[in-house]
Amino acid sequence: TSRSTVGTMTELNDHLKLLFARAATLYCSSCGREVRRDDAESIYAALEREPRVGGAAARVLVTFSVPIPKNFKREEVETFLTRQGYTRIHARSKPAIEVIQDRLAFGPDNRSRLIEALETALKFGNGFVTVRLTEAGAAAGEADSANRSKRRRRAALEPANAQFKFSSHRHCAHCDLSYADPVPNSFSFNSPVGACETCRGFGRTIGIDYRLVIPDESKSLADGAVKPWQTKSNRECQDDLLRYARERGVPTTTPWRELTPEQRAWVIEGEGSWRQKKWYGVKRFFDWLESKAYRMHVRVLLSKYRSYDVCPACGGARLKPESLLWRLGSLDDARGVAGLDRRFRAHLPALDDTTFGALPGLNVHDVMMLPVQDALRFFERIRLPKPLDDAAELVLTEIGTRLRY
């Protein structure tokens, strides 16, 4: 078919989508952090690795957010929390209340207590929990109103790097972005699940090549610079162009190449629709033709001016942006086969060069674009994350066999 590639014909793509669905790691499109489902144990391990927490034996504050329903007042929600035993509030805002689950020193002696606090906060926080660094001895005087006022001011001035957000969902807690779990077809441009919605998995879109519409830039508008309007059937459009151009003050006897960019844009884009009695532009003329494409002679006319452009939505990768966020391998694995300039990044406009360069591994489009020898070297050196079942190892073996063939 028109979507066929070497990868699809050798079944490499079938194995790649299985491997990525099982073994790839998701990275946030906004901040580049790894996105995973956290539990109390993994959160504790992450805090233990953090120098400001585990390395400094810091005191931490475990909090969760309770949204205020539209048909409830904040006081009513706080009364309900008090009945549940939650009397300590970290911060109040219009949409939610930040409730303190526990305050304690981080360390092996308090491990069980912290795990229990994290589990409870995840449960009542609908899968979200925040761990904040706090001052030693700040637990004293919780009930004192003056201290509560100080805590509110401290919360408002609290730097972003003094808190660590976690989620048990497929959610980036730092950017508040949610992601769907992958399925094999998420990495296939032959499936509507993974195919780019704009180009439908082809990587290109069909448009109009205005270099064919205006092939001779030495001609003026009056001389017939717009080629499709020089026929008897479309002469009315040529007359409209000259009339509106005179009203607008756009030269009609000046060669096209000498018109200003603004004047050229006016000719192409227009000012409004024909029904508004405004200049509709060359673009709207072709849009109107597209609506009549069920007629044979219209399709023949359109074919003379067609262009096949790289899809603006996926950048030619054929897949949805969400599918390209999943990466396989380590940073060294990626550097061993593809320099930074060869790694696809059109789907990551929010990341700066440093953050993008630090992303581990390759996404599925990067892998598909590798020469066979580089692809083989990549799959020979990667180590799948643990724990994975034997099926993933089998898929990796099948990919290597086909690349060596």
Side-chain angles (χ1 to χ4, degrees):
T1 68
S2 54
R3 287 194 184 93
S4 294
T5 64
V6 173
T8 59
M9 295 176 69
T10 59
E11 298 181 352
L12 267 170
N13 283 25
D14 293 331
H15 289 83
L16 283 176
K17 67 184 185 182
L18 291 173
L19 183 63
F20 268 83
R22 288 179 178 271
T25 303
L26 175 65
Y27 293 89
C28 178
S29 61
S30 180
C31 66
R33 290 184 174 92
E34 180 181 342
V35 180
R36 61 187 176 195
R37 295 180 183 275
D38 287 307
D39 56 26
E41 294 287 349
S42 68
I43 294 173
Y44 184 90
L47 293 173
E48 197 171 33
R49 293 190 299 269
E50 172 59 45
R52 290 170 296 168
V53 182
R59 290 187 62 82
V60 296
L61 191 70
V62 180
T63 68
F64 62 90
S65 181
V66 177
I68 302 175
K70 292 183 179 180
N71 56 336
F72 280 81
K73 295 180 180 179
R74 190 182 69 189
E75 292 76 12
E76 294 175 316
V77 176
E78 289 192 22
T79 300
F80 174 78
L81 288 170
T82 301
R83 291 174 182 172
Q84 301 297 315
Y86 291 101
T87 58
R88 297 182 295 175
I89 304 299
H90 176 70
R92 296 174 175 87
S93 63
K94 187 175 181 180
I97 300 172
E98 194 75 14
V99 182
I100 298 175
Q101 176 63 42
D102 202 352
R103 187 197 303 268
L104 69 164
F106 187 91
D109 294 341
N110 286 331
R111 186 180 189 280
S112 298
R113 177 179 166 185
L114 180 55
I115 292 291
E116 182 180 356
L118 291 169
E119 288 176 344
T120 307
L122 284 171
K123 177 182 178 182
F124 292 113
N126 195 27
F128 299 94
V129 64
T130 302
V131 179
R132 292 177 163 85
L133 298 181
T134 184
E135 300 172 5
E142 281 286 352
D144 184 60
S145 60
N147 283 341
R148 286 200 299 270
S149 176
K150 290 179 181 178
R151 288 199 308 277
R152 283 196 293 268
R153 290 196 298 270
R154 189 167 63 244
L157 298 173
E158 187 176 61
N161 60 3
Q163 61 185 22
F164 307 92
K165 296 184 177 182
F166 301 94
S167 173
S168 60
H169 305 293
R170 188 77 72 182
H171 180 92
C172 179
H174 301 275
C175 305
D176 196 23
L177 294 175
S178 295
Y179 299 93
D181 287 326
V183 295
N185 279 342
S186 299
F187 306 98
S188 172
F189 49 75
N190 280 322
S191 167
V193 177
C196 171
E197 294 178 352
T198 301
C199 66
R200 300 181 182 180
F202 288 97
R204 297 186 302 171
T205 54
I206 299 175
I208 299 298
D209 188 344
Y210 291 102
R211 293 171 300 179
L212 299 176
V213 175
I214 306 174
D216 188 352
E217 295 192 356
S218 65
K219 289 186 176 181
S220 65
L221 298 180
D223 291 335
V226 184
K227 184 179 178 180
W229 290 347
Q230 306 314 308
T231 62
K232 184 177 180 180
S233 58
N234 293 321
R235 190 67 191 179
E236 182 181 356
C237 296
Q238 174 71 8
D239 295 339
D240 289 342
L241 169 62
L242 297 179
R243 184 174 75 256
Y244 283 113
R246 295 187 187 102
E247 293 177 1
R248 181 77 180 202
V250 175
T252 59
T253 57
T254 301
W256 175 261
R257 66 165 63 96
E258 296 179 15
L259 294 180
T260 65
E262 292 77 13
Q263 291 168 343
R264 292 188 186 189
W266 178 84
V267 174
I268 300 294
E269 301 293 337
E271 297 176 317
S273 69
W274 171 80
R275 298 185 182 194
Q276 296 173 312
K277 298 188 181 300
K278 294 182 178 180
W279 170 235
Y280 40 84
V282 178
K283 185 177 183 298
R284 286 187 179 84
F285 168 76
F286 279 101
D287 290 343
W288 174 77
L289 284 181
E290 293 284 3
S291 69
K292 306 294 182 182
Y294 57 87
R295 299 177 180 176
M296 178 61 74
H297 71 280
V298 174
R299 291 201 297 274
V300 172
L301 176 61
L302 286 170
S303 68
K304 296 178 180 179
Y305 304 102
R306 285 293 190 201
S307 68
Y308 296 88
D309 307 309
V310 174
C311 175
C314 69
R318 298 181 165 199
L319 296 167
K320 293 178 179 177
E322 296 83 4
S323 302
L324 299 170
L325 298 176
W326 295 83
R327 307 179 77 85
L328 195 65
S330 67
L331 182 57
D332 288 338
D333 295 334
R335 286 173 174 169
V337 295
L340 195 59
D341 58 332
R342 291 176 57 193
R343 292 179 227 165
F344 188 76
R345 66 176 299 180
H347 62 300
L348 298 171
L351 300 189
D352 57 34
D353 292 342
T354 302
T355 305
F356 176 75
L359 286 178
L362 302 175
N363 64 36
V364 66
H365 179 65
D366 291 331
V367 174
M368 290 179 182
M369 296 302 291
L370 290 175
V372 172
Q373 291 300 321
D374 289 343
L376 178 59
R377 192 165 68 253
F378 176 74
F379 284 109
E380 286 178 340
R381 65 183 295 168
I382 65 170
R383 296 293 178 264
L384 297 181
K386 302 295 182 183
L388 281 175
D389 54 20
D390 293 337
E393 292 287 352
L394 180 61
V395 170
L396 189 58
T397 301
E398 288 295 327
I399 291 173
T401 300
R402 281 166 170 76
L403 288 172
R404 293 186 191 94
Y405 181 73

